[in-house]
Amino acid sequence: MSRVLSMAYLTACDATPQEAVRIAARLGYAHVGLRLLPNAPGAPQQHLIDHPEALRETVALLRDTGVGVFDLEIIRINEGFEPLDYRPLLDAGAALGARAVLVAGDDTNATRLADGYARLCELMKPYGMTADLEFMPWTAVPHARAALSVIEGAGMPSNAGILVDALHFDRSATTLEDIRALPRQLLHYAQICDAPGRARQGRDFTVEEMIHTARCARLQPGEGDIDLAGLFAALPSDLPVSVEVVHLDRMRAMDPAEWARQCLAASRRFVA
């Protein structure tokens, strides 16, 4: 059976939700990821929350094309986190049939972070979506072991999850042994991309460089130095994969569907 592949928001970040669904359907992606809340104040997002007509149109397109919504972005757990503030995102996700919500951990107080995550998972249970905590080296959840610690501190909620992004695996203090040690029930999907490694750079990456690459300059699988073969061998063979490849300079020079097609073809060489 072929692996389920989803087109992440960043792979077609200029597309509306409706355009993203059409691109995914044309190219053979089974799902899309949508960013309905920005990852930083004033950052780009797709507009479905408080846009009922656009939401209805997107739901109709999903039904007509057979494409699903895999994940929604993004919930950030910070010092003043209040899960109820995210009900509009969860309500939109329920209408779209989304399976997961991407969660980032920014609260440096470990106890409060775990409590906030536990409260979020409790709120999300009736919605049928998982809360997938993504470790990122510049956040309060910098590696896979930290993500597991947060979830254990939250009491291992039934809808908890850990999101493994190939870029963050490579640039964080995460080993293949750490990946293999993650409980299977916490793994709902992973993200694939590529990037230059430390050896090519000649030094460690700064936080600013890591953030820039993550948001603006990822490479297609096979173009960089990430051990994608090792990573996806360590992850379950049936794990759905989100193709998350954004390179703003290169994307400006081609049609969005062509970029998404190239990224899908490159990804299939590692996760067919």
Side-chain angles (χ1 to χ4, degrees):
M1 186 174 70
S2 60
R3 179 129 33 182
V4 171
L5 296 175
S6 179
M7 184 179 75
Y9 161 75
L10 281 177
T11 301
C13 55
D14 289 333
T16 66
Q18 301 93 329
E19 290 167 345
V21 172
R22 292 188 184 100
I23 290 170
R26 190 186 328 158
L27 297 177
Y29 287 95
H31 299 272
V32 295
L34 301 176
R35 180 172 288 176
L36 302 189
L37 292 176
N39 64 344
Q45 68 182 98
Q46 293 165 312
H47 296 282
L48 290 181
I49 297 172
D50 296 328
H51 289 72
E53 186 159 336
L55 180 60
R56 283 193 297 270
E57 182 181 349
T58 304
V59 170
L61 272 171
L62 294 169
R63 182 182 61 246
D64 293 345
T65 61
V67 172
V69 173
F70 201 100
D71 63 311
L72 300 179
E73 301 181 26
I74 179 176
I75 293 177
R76 307 198 76 103
I77 302 178
N78 52 30
E79 181 177 344
F81 178 67
E82 174 47 67
L84 291 174
D85 292 343
Y86 292 90
R87 274 200 184 276
L89 174 69
L90 301 178
D91 289 338
L96 294 163
R99 295 168 58 172
V101 176
L102 191 156
V103 180
D106 295 330
D107 192 340
T108 56
N109 182 302
T111 300
R112 192 169 55 208
L113 175 58
D115 176 70
Y117 181 77
R119 290 186 293 122
L120 174 64
C121 287
E122 186 64 26
L123 176 66
M124 288 179 59
K125 282 181 181 177
Y127 290 90
M129 288 177 275
T130 57
D132 291 82
L133 183 61
E134 183 175 17
F135 60 89
M136 295 175 258
W138 59 86
T139 68
V141 188
H143 45 67
R145 298 183 308 281
L148 183 56
S149 178
V150 171
I151 291 172
E152 289 173 340
M156 292 290 287
S158 60
N159 56 341
I162 293 176
L163 173 57
V164 178
D165 181 326
L167 181 66
H168 305 323
F169 156 74
D170 180 73
R171 299 192 172 188
S172 70
T174 299
T175 66
L176 289 174
E177 289 72 23
D178 294 333
I179 297 297
R180 284 190 283 264
L182 294 174
R184 178 62 183 88
Q185 72 268 24
L186 296 180
L187 296 172
H188 304 115
Y189 71 117
Q191 294 174 328
I192 190 170
C193 71
D194 214 334
R198 292 184 187 88
R200 195 189 306 194
Q201 179 82 359
R203 57 175 172 80
D204 288 338
F205 297 97
T206 66
V207 168
E208 291 74 19
E209 287 169 336
M210 288 191 287
I211 292 174
H212 175 77
T213 299
R215 297 177 180 176
C216 307
R218 297 175 183 234
L219 300 180
Q220 295 181 14
E223 293 181 338
D225 306 306
I226 297 176
D227 181 12
L228 295 176
L231 173 61
F232 284 94
L235 289 165
S237 61
D238 61 345
L239 191 69
V241 174
S242 174
V243 178
E244 186 178 52
V245 188
V246 58
H247 196 296
L248 296 181
D249 289 342
R250 292 169 66 181
M251 292 166 75
R252 291 187 190 103
M254 68 179 72
D255 178 80
E258 174 58 20
W259 176 257
R261 184 198 67 78
Q262 291 182 16
C263 296
L264 179 61
S267 298
R268 279 179 168 151
R269 292 197 286 270
F270 294 92
V271 293

